Amino acid sequence: MIKRANLLKIVSAVVLCSAWEIAGRIPVSYAFPTFLDSMRSFFEMIGNGMMLEAYKETLQPLVIGVLISAFLGIGLGLWIGLNNFFDWLFSPIFIVMQAAPLAALIPLLVLAYGIGLTSKVMVVCIMAMPVIVLNTSGAVRNTPESFKEMGKSFLASRASILLRIIIPAASPVIFAGLRLGVSAGFIGAILAELKITPTGVGDIITYSRSIADYPSMYAAIFSIILLAVLFLNLIEKLETVLFKGNQRGYVSD
Amino acid sequence: MAMSQINHKTTEKNSTDIGSAVSVQNISKNYGDVEALRDMSLEFPRGQLTSLLGPSGCGKTTLLKIIAGLLEPTSGHVEVNGINVSGPGPDRAFVFQDFALLPWATVLKNVAFGLQMRGVAASEREAIAERYIKSVGLAGFENSYPHELSGGMRQRVGLARALSVDADVLLMDEPFSAVDEQTRRKFQEDLLSLVRDENKTFIFVTHSIEEAVYVSDQIAILLPRPSRVSEIIRPSSFRNKGVDNIRRDSEYLDIVDNIWSSLRTYVE
Ligand SMILES: Nc1ncnc2c1ncn2[C@@H]1O[C@H](COP(=O)(O)OP(=O)(O)O)[C@@H](O)[C@H]1O
Ligand SMILES: [Mg+2]
């Protein structure tokens, strides 16, 4: 038996793909291929190794950037959430980062760090980190006072209060930030490949558009979305494993 | 909780010469401009239940948190068993008005929390926690989560957590105010047997006059503006008449009436 939630996911995927197929057949635009054509290109590119080559390139800044954003972002978020001075010092930076139009910053990044991996990692981080930091610090600051008081009165050390009370209490919001941040990181990785130097998946998109091979272009876009969805599911699994009871909902009186 | 041994220990309990478990000396507490407590002194006899009774805003929670070591007094000091309080300690355990249970932890983990923080090994603390879960009547709910329990059951978990660390002094901040009236009455009866059976000192905050008179060996009436102890009442005659007769006892009714007439001017 498939679980209800999974069944719904499958149904919505089928509906989406059918809508795509229909829109491609009308067609809504000569540059919009059908779902089946795109899938054909998708498997072709997997078969001839193009996809693998492309992802070797694309995954580097993506994985490095997402890992840095996740660890540094949660670390900084905890720090900012626990300490008013660091909140005052750092919060504005991340609020500005979140609001900044990234496309306009890319030329500056290229100027400073060149067109290599560093710039692309920076783009991923700028996209992914602010929401992770801000969600984490906000969640930490909103830990119910009575939980912390309970911890203190039962002689919990500062470390225990952080590990056993603040982090579990904040974990749903931290993970929500992580999911948003990772999605933004995927956008950043592709943006970097489109705006800095066309490599990897960005190269497939740019090149196939230039030769009007729209099925390949959409196959590349499809592949990155698919990867993002798989990755987000992985994060969800991680959350379930790390903080089992939290899914059971909060007590509301 | 067993209801046997009705007359056990009651003879020595009405005397004041047992000594104080907790002694509050000249405590003042200001929150900025708000003067929550002013020069308050109060003794809490060992092995007895003392209620802090008064209208809301008169500083009951503030006093309890200062005794717990969760708040610093602006001046004055608190002694527990003759030792100056400078923070939370193993000699005191707190029962919270809003229960303060960790929603992601099972009943067993919540009850064992205090023992875990004291470094008791997992198997040992779970055995102790199970025993107290049983004693508050929650056997079978060890692996439930707080949101699966009723308000009354949640407070039993909070009580089991406080009992399991075996502290000398139990601090209870309006522990029954968030549970329904029937459960509350049952709790009050259970509390009486708890005070009788456990050799602990209870400090019990309430704003209910009937509740205070029903459960207390000593009632400190606090009044606001400025906050002070206006009166200390020690009900004496009805405690050993059995739980069923207390609410009909004439001394019980007189004390309730007297407290109300001294408090009514402070209730707007
Ligand atoms: N953290 C705080 N900051 C400022 N004022 C407070 C704070 N906590 C309590 N007070 C004030 O102190 C007074 C006593 O509060 P409290 O001890 O909670 O009273 P009670 O528990 O008797 O209702 C009230 O006037 C309240 O507004
Ligand atoms: Mg209060």
Side-chain angles (χ1 to χ4, degrees), chain B residues 39-63:
Chain B
D39 197 27
M40 186 172 286
S41 298
L42 200 52
E43 299 294 319
F44 297 87
R46 190 180 308 285
Q48 299 198 357
L49 188 147
T50 301
S51 283
L52 303 173
L53 174 66
S56 53
C58 69
K60 306 184 293 294
T61 298
T62 303
L63 180 60

Side-chain angles (χ1 to χ4, degrees), chain A residues 202-237:
Chain A
D203 185 34
I204 299 181
I205 296 174
T206 316
Y207 177 70
S208 46
R209 190 174 59 181
S210 74
I211 61 165
D213 178 5
Y214 294 112
S216 296
M217 176 182 156
Y218 277 85
I221 295 171
F222 175 81
S223 71
I224 196 85
I225 293 172
L226 188 69
L227 191 68
V229 169
L230 289 178
F231 208 81
L232 291 181
N233 272 305
L234 197 71
I235 294 179
E236 218 166 280
K237 287 274 173 335

Side-chain angles (χ1 to χ4, degrees), chain A residues 143 146-157 160-161 164-170 243-253, chain B residues 65 68 70 88-90 92-94 96 98-105 110 113-114 116-118 145-148 154 158 161-162 165:
Chain A
T143 310
S146 74
F147 287 179
K148 288 188 266 180
E149 233 163 33
M150 188 280 290
K152 273 185 224 155
S153 77
F154 284 98
L155 307 179
S157 61
S160 293
I161 289 179
R164 304 201 177 276
I165 294 176
I166 295 178
I167 291 180
F243 298 101
K244 241 183 267 162
N246 259 0
Q247 290 201 321
R248 291 166 192 263
Y250 272 69
V251 177
S252 50
D253 296 298
Chain B
K65 285 187 177 164
L70 293 169
R92 284 150 291 149
F94 210 107
F96 294 86
D98 65 354
F99 320 134
L101 303 180
L102 303 175
W104 53 86
N110 266 297
F113 182 84
Q116 186 183 11
M117 294 303 109
R118 275 156 225 234
Y145 285 84
H147 78 277
E148 297 168 330
R154 286 180 209 161
R161 177 176 59 194
V165 295

Side-chain angles (χ1 to χ4, degrees), chain B residues 31-32 34-36 54-63 173-174 205 222:
Chain B
Y31 293 107
V34 181
E35 196 175 26
S56 53
C58 69
K60 306 184 293 294
T61 298
T62 303
L63 180 60
D173 189 6
E174 302 196 27
V205 168
L222 307 192

